[in-house]
Amino acid sequence: MDRRNFIKTGVVSVGALTLARDVSLFGAPDSKMSIIKYSSSPTDAEGIAREASVLTRKAVEALGGMERFVSKGETVCIKPNIAWNRKPEQAATTNPDAVAEVVKMCLEAGASEVKVLDNTCHKATQCYPKSGIQAAASKAGATVIMPTTRSFRKTKITGGQVIKEWEVFSDVLKADKLINMPIAKHHGLSKLTLSMKNLMGCCGGQRNRFHQDMGGVLTDLTQFFKPDLIIMDAIRIMTANGPIGGNLEDVARRDSVIAGVDPVAIDAFGATLFGIEPMEISYVAEGQKRGLGTSDYASLKPIIQTV
């Protein structure tokens, strides 16, 4: 049983890019991927906040708008990266203004409740405020869920080839829709943290065990959670010393937001931001092998625009 089947039944079991097309940012309901880049790199906080909001909204509009993904009355979980006790400019966590914009779009589409959550690595009481996500998401109208030991439920990971059951965030299981919002960054063990790896934050338990077969585990999790929409923050990226970072010298600007429904394609494109061949990322290779998507992101004819 995957997350979507859980919603239907209410039961939990225990135990170099080619420009493909340049179209209007509206009216593309069948699009699978969008890559939206800002025309400048603002350095002031207000400018970066505006950039994040504009890019995020345009990326979703390019896919047909949030109404394609969220219906009136639905509960939505947004899963950003809040894992580390770091400021936004250190590029260890998802841009808070991007998260806030997604909250707003979900509510505009008629969501009854929007929850923002992550199972952090550093203390949640430090990470949530330091990242800026707690304040930004709350102001936008979200319910911000800080994890506790009671937040997770042992759940059968049906179809899992590496993990058969695990402690899973109950709020994610119960949500009608899941939006995955990673930040693209370096990782010392898996080379990169992208959308598939960001789903680790939907889990509790001894997650260090995941590192023994990262490609297999992350493919299991992606297959189970089936995010309805992925929005990748590549405004700032961490190019070294991830996933924690801390040194601003490790931060580079890409001024982009990538959105879509194919996790393998989005992560494959994300790898190119670092000059890495997509198939060098274990979970991209395994995800494609198991049919979760394609590493040939250009074949999806992504909408590519500079705004």
Side-chain angles (χ1 to χ4, degrees):
M1 181 182 299
D2 59 27
R3 180 188 62 84
R4 291 175 181 170
N5 285 329
F6 171 89
I7 295 165
K8 293 176 183 178
T9 64
V11 176
V12 177
S13 300
V14 176
L17 184 66
T18 300
L19 182 62
R21 56 177 166 160
D22 186 4
V23 301
S24 168
L25 285 176
F26 298 91
D30 60 339
S31 298
K32 293 184 178 180
M33 187 173 177
S34 64
I35 303 166
I36 313 299
K37 183 175 176 61
Y38 213 56
S39 58
S40 63
S41 295
T43 56
D44 62 296
E46 184 176 345
I48 295 173
R50 182 172 58 252
E51 174 187 6
S53 298
V54 169
L55 289 179
T56 302
R57 184 169 287 267
K58 295 295 186 183
V60 176
E61 288 175 346
L63 300 178
M66 190 60 78
E67 292 80 5
R68 172 183 170 187
F69 304 98
V70 174
S71 299
K72 186 175 181 180
E74 290 186 324
T75 299
V76 181
C77 269
I78 299 174
K79 167 58 182 77
N81 190 326
I82 322 178
W84 309 103
N85 185 19
R86 292 287 184 261
K87 297 178 181 179
E89 55 266 31
Q90 294 170 305
T93 54
T94 306
N95 185 292
D97 296 289
V99 176
E101 197 66 25
V102 175
V103 172
K104 293 175 186 176
M105 286 189 286
C106 290
L107 292 172
E108 291 165 6
S112 61
E113 185 176 20
V114 180
K115 300 178 181 181
V116 174
L117 50 77
D118 190 12
N119 186 18
T120 62
C121 298
H122 288 160
K123 291 182 179 179
T125 53
Q126 298 174 335
C127 299
Y128 272 56
K130 190 72 163 288
S131 69
I133 291 173
Q134 182 175 22
S138 295
K139 184 178 180 180
T143 301
V144 178
I145 308 293
M146 200 168 289
T148 69
T149 55
R150 292 183 293 178
S151 297
F152 303 91
R153 185 179 303 181
K154 186 174 288 188
T155 304
K156 185 178 181 180
I157 309 298
T158 303
Q161 295 186 14
V162 181
I163 52 173
K164 304 301 182 181
E165 67 176 19
W166 204 266
E167 299 289 328
V168 174
F169 233 124
S170 296
D171 288 285
V172 174
L173 288 173
K174 295 174 184 177
D176 297 297
K177 296 296 170 61
L178 172 63
I179 299 177
N180 188 9
M181 288 196 69
I183 183 170
K185 61 177 181 174
H186 172 262
H187 192 284
L189 293 176
S190 62
K191 291 190 177 182
L192 295 175
T193 287
L194 300 165
S195 78
M196 292 173 70
K197 191 171 185 309
N198 194 50
L199 293 173
M200 283 178 60
C202 293
C203 299
Q206 296 179 324
R207 293 179 294 174
N208 59 319
R209 291 169 54 192
F210 291 172
H211 296 157
Q212 297 172 16
D213 184 354
M214 192 73 78
V217 169
L218 297 184
T219 302
D220 284 349
L221 294 180
T222 303
Q223 181 175 283
F224 175 76
F225 287 114
K226 286 185 169 63
D228 298 278
L229 175 62
I230 302 161
I231 304 170
M232 180 181 289
D233 168 20
I235 297 168
R236 305 178 182 97
I237 66 170
M238 185 190 297
T239 59
N241 297 311
I244 304 174
N247 190 339
L248 294 180
E249 292 182 359
D250 295 331
V251 177
R253 295 291 291 272
R254 294 294 183 266
D255 299 294
S256 302
V257 169
I258 302 93
V261 296
D262 184 325
V264 179
I266 287 179
D267 286 3
F269 177 77
T272 69
L273 298 172
F274 298 83
I276 296 175
E277 288 294 324
M279 295 299 279
E280 293 181 20
I281 307 302
S282 63
Y283 47 90
V284 170
E286 183 65 19
Q288 176 167 272
K289 178 181 177 182
R290 291 206 224 162
L292 270 61
T294 178
S295 64
D296 182 12
Y297 50 85
S299 70
L300 301 182
K301 299 182 179 179
I303 295 172
I304 305 168
Q305 291 233 346
T306 300
V307 297

